[in-house]
Amino acid sequence: MCQLPYIPEGRDILYVKSDHAFMTLAKNVAKQGSLDALHPTGAVLVLDGTPIGAGANGSAFHTRFGCVRKFLGVPTGKGYALCCGCSPKNHAEQKAIQDALKKGHNPAGADLYLWGHWWCCSSCWDAMIKAGIKNVYLPEGAYESFGKK
């Protein structure tokens, strides 16, 4: 198991097989909706066995101008304020929460399935905790699949 760059006290990341139904759904959300061609990421919120929200990472800023953080060599999880495209509001986790709210669903007690990344940044954890997200699931082998080499 790898050392996660950030995890809030009292929280943990859980793992499911990559072919788990909700993880497959998160993968499809990433493939169909991500605006980040290099690192497509998708998140699905599930409450009582029903998907209630979904989101994919990225913004049109990256498509038009590239990533300021990548250009500057900023490490993962740092310097989001340097790049409009990297703003946490453009992260899959936060887009999934906003999607659920927009559809009239309360995300409290929901689980979040995240495909395309191997950890969650502090801004996303803060948003998930505030929204009452119960568990965060990544696919088994996420670090090996999505960690920076």
Side-chain angles (χ1 to χ4, degrees), residues 3-148:
Q3 177 70 33
L4 297 171
Y6 177 78
I7 189 121
E9 189 173 327
R11 298 303 296 249
D12 205 359
I13 289 181
L14 305 173
Y15 296 89
V16 296
K17 297 215 178 283
S18 58
D19 64 354
H20 183 282
F22 296 132
M23 193 57 68
T24 299
L25 185 57
K27 179 179 180 180
N28 290 338
V29 167
K31 299 285 185 181
Q32 294 171 7
S34 178
L35 297 175
D36 186 337
L38 292 176
H39 305 287
T41 304
V44 174
L45 277 176
V46 177
L47 183 63
D48 298 327
T50 302
I52 61 168
N57 67 324
S59 77
F61 183 90
H62 283 155
T63 306
R64 295 180 65 203
F65 304 108
C67 178
V68 175
R69 290 174 57 247
K70 287 180 185 172
F71 176 76
L72 295 174
V74 176
T76 186
K78 307 280 184 199
Y80 291 129
L82 297 173
C83 180
C84 294
C86 291
S87 169
K89 71 180 181 180
N90 295 319
H91 294 190
E93 302 96 319
Q94 295 196 38
K95 284 186 171 184
I97 293 168
Q98 290 307 310
D99 184 53
L101 292 170
K102 185 172 76 175
K103 292 175 178 176
H105 298 288
N106 180 352
D111 293 325
L112 185 132
Y113 291 80
L114 181 66
W115 185 91
H117 214 339
W118 59 281
W119 67 289
C120 302
C121 71
S122 61
S123 296
C124 286
W125 272 113
D126 290 347
M128 290 186 292
I129 290 167
K130 182 178 178 185
I133 303 304
K134 185 171 68 174
N135 294 306
V136 175
Y137 292 93
L138 296 177
E140 291 175 345
Y143 179 76
E144 292 78 14
S145 297
F146 310 118
K148 299 205 180 209

